[in-house]
């Protein structure tokens, strides 16, 4: 479902069963930008259909918030330029060489390259994993990049953050709105934690036990304080006010 946030900003809501994230849609007078690519061809197909149904334009660009599969594996199916931070692009090039048979996926869990949660979600989203095709970005940037969509500008910022060092956020100054991706979330790769697909109701409780990296969190909060936003949304949760975001990160 697509929800209108402002005259220029819309959100295609997350679907948690296969870890599909919120997808941001920023529409200017000349161009439109999608924030995150989705996690599969089927996910992309649903977003495209909903855009058409609501009379909204298909995107001219797609920005990836970070390399994790749920935000990037749909990139191939948009057929428009993909924008990513350099660190995201570097990691996607590595992932593009991965094999997706059970044994290869198990070995990556053992080596720490991947985690059980992502492996189980990928198996759900992809009954046929031979259809996974990871592609690199078409446009790569470092630090910050401004994208003018016509009457509305997007500030693309390599924010790092506690979740993944390649995290990019998208700030739309005129709307006082911020797309976070997963940048405000915890690092699910950095610390051991439990996930059992048979007891996934325990997911949030288990994630709550993972500590934030205090240095990364402090730096991320310092960056957020410089941005004049009133509302924001992260990859897998609901719309938040600025105050609610800062409160959620206080620890």
């Amino acid at each position: 479902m697509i929800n209108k946030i402002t005259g220029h900003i819309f959100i295609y809501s997350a679907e948690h069963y296969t870890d599909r994230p919120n997808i941001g849609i920023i529409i200017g007078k000349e161009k439109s930008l999608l924030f995150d690519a989705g996690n599969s061809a089927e996910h992309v197909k649903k977003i495209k259909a909903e855009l058409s149904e609501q009379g909204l334009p298909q995107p001219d660009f797609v920005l990836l918030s970070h390399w994790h599969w749920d935000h990037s594996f749909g990139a191939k199916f948009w057929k428009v330029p993909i924008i990513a931070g350099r660190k995201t692009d570097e990691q996607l090039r590595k992932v593009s060489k991965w094999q997706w048979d059970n044994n290869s996926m198990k070995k990556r869990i053992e080596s720490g390259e991947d985690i059980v949660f992502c492996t189980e979600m990928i198996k759900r989203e992809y009954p046929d994993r031979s259809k996974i095709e990871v592609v690199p970005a078409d446009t790569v940037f470092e630090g910050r990049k401004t994208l003018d969509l016509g009457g509305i500008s997007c500030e693309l910022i390599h924010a790092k953050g506690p979740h993944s060092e390649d995290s990019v956020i998208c700030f739309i100054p005129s709307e006082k709105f911020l797309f976070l991706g997963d940048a405000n979330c915890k690092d699910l790769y950095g610390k051991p934690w439990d996930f059992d697909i048979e007891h996934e109701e325990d997911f949030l409780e288990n994630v709550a036990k993972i500590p934030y990296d205090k240095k990364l969190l402090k730096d991320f909060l310092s960056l957020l304080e410089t941005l004049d936003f009133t509302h924001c949304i992260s990859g897998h949760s609901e719309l938040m006010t600025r105050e609610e975001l800062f409160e959620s990160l206080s620890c």
Side-chain angles (χ1 to χ4, degrees), residues 1-5 9-13 25 27 46-58:
M1 176 184 292
I2 292 179
N3 296 304
K4 182 177 181 180
I5 307 303
I9 294 176
F10 300 77
I11 294 168
Y12 184 94
S13 299
I25 305 148
I27 300 175
K46 288 184 69 175
I47 299 167
K48 286 182 176 181
E50 185 74 12
L51 287 169
S52 295
E53 187 174 320
Q54 295 207 19
L56 299 173
Q58 299 294 326

Side-chain angles (χ1 to χ4, degrees), residues 9 24-27 33-36 62-65 83 141 143-147 149 152-159 167-173 175-183 220 223-224 227 229 231-233:
I9 294 176
I25 305 148
I26 307 106
I27 300 175
L33 172 68
L34 206 73
F35 183 78
D36 275 330
V62 175
L63 170 66
L64 302 182
S65 65
I83 304 170
F141 74 96
R144 297 191 180 214
K145 178 181 177 66
T146 300
L147 195 62
L149 302 179
I152 184 169
S153 293
C154 301
E155 300 293 331
L156 319 182
I157 306 168
H158 178 209
S167 292
V168 167
I169 59 177
C170 180
F171 174 48
I172 304 96
E175 310 299 296
K176 293 183 179 291
F177 196 88
L178 181 64
F179 284 103
L180 293 158
D182 290 350
F220 183 58
L223 170 62
L224 292 178
L227 304 176
F229 65 96
H231 290 82
C232 61
I233 195 165

Side-chain angles (χ1 to χ4, degrees), residues 46-249:
K46 288 184 69 175
I47 299 167
K48 286 182 176 181
E50 185 74 12
L51 287 169
S52 295
E53 187 174 320
Q54 295 207 19
L56 299 173
Q58 299 294 326
D60 296 285
F61 311 95
V62 175
L63 170 66
L64 302 182
S65 65
H66 61 305
W67 71 271
H68 292 166
W69 82 279
D70 48 319
H71 299 258
S72 64
F73 279 20
K76 172 182 169 60
F77 308 103
W78 283 104
K79 308 300 183 185
V80 299
I82 304 298
I83 304 170
R86 184 165 300 281
K87 288 183 179 296
T88 298
D89 184 64
E90 290 171 354
Q91 186 62 29
L92 288 175
R93 290 177 185 275
K94 293 178 183 177
V95 177
S96 70
K97 299 175 183 177
W98 287 3
Q99 301 298 311
W100 299 100
D101 58 277
N102 288 339
N103 189 49
S104 296
M105 295 177 84
K106 181 180 178 183
K107 285 182 177 179
R108 287 197 293 273
I109 291 171
E110 292 170 349
S111 69
E113 290 178 279
D114 213 342
I115 56 176
V116 173
F117 175 72
C118 289
T119 298
E120 295 291 355
M121 294 297 106
I122 288 171
K123 289 179 179 179
R124 271 187 178 172
E125 182 68 32
Y126 286 90
D128 180 1
R129 277 172 269 143
S130 69
K131 294 188 176 181
I132 295 175
E133 186 173 350
V134 181
V135 296
D138 299 291
T139 299
V140 176
F141 74 96
E142 293 187 85
R144 297 191 180 214
K145 178 181 177 66
T146 300
L147 195 62
D148 185 358
L149 302 179
I152 184 169
S153 293
C154 301
E155 300 293 331
L156 319 182
I157 306 168
H158 178 209
K160 298 184 180 180
H163 182 70
S164 184
E165 68 171 354
D166 65 317
S167 292
V168 167
I169 59 177
C170 180
F171 174 48
I172 304 96
S174 62
E175 310 299 296
K176 293 183 179 291
F177 196 88
L178 181 64
F179 284 103
L180 293 158
D182 290 350
N184 60 309
C185 301
K186 295 177 177 179
D187 181 4
L188 304 187
Y189 285 74
K191 302 283 186 181
W193 63 288
D194 296 321
F195 178 76
D196 181 350
I197 195 72
E198 300 298 327
H199 299 282
E200 58 186 302
E201 68 276 6
D202 297 331
F203 172 75
L204 292 178
E205 181 180 345
N206 289 335
V207 169
K209 297 175 183 177
I210 302 172
Y212 275 110
D213 181 303
K214 292 186 177 180
K215 172 63 166 60
L216 292 175
L217 181 58
K218 180 180 178 182
D219 292 345
F220 183 58
L221 286 168
S222 295
L223 170 62
L224 292 178
E225 287 170 354
T226 69
L227 304 176
D228 183 21
F229 65 96
T230 60
H231 290 82
C232 61
I233 195 165
S234 63
H236 301 273
S237 59
E238 301 296 321
L239 191 69
M240 292 182 284
T241 64
R242 179 189 183 93
E243 291 74 22
E244 287 170 337
L245 173 62
F246 277 94
E247 182 179 351
S248 73
L249 295 173

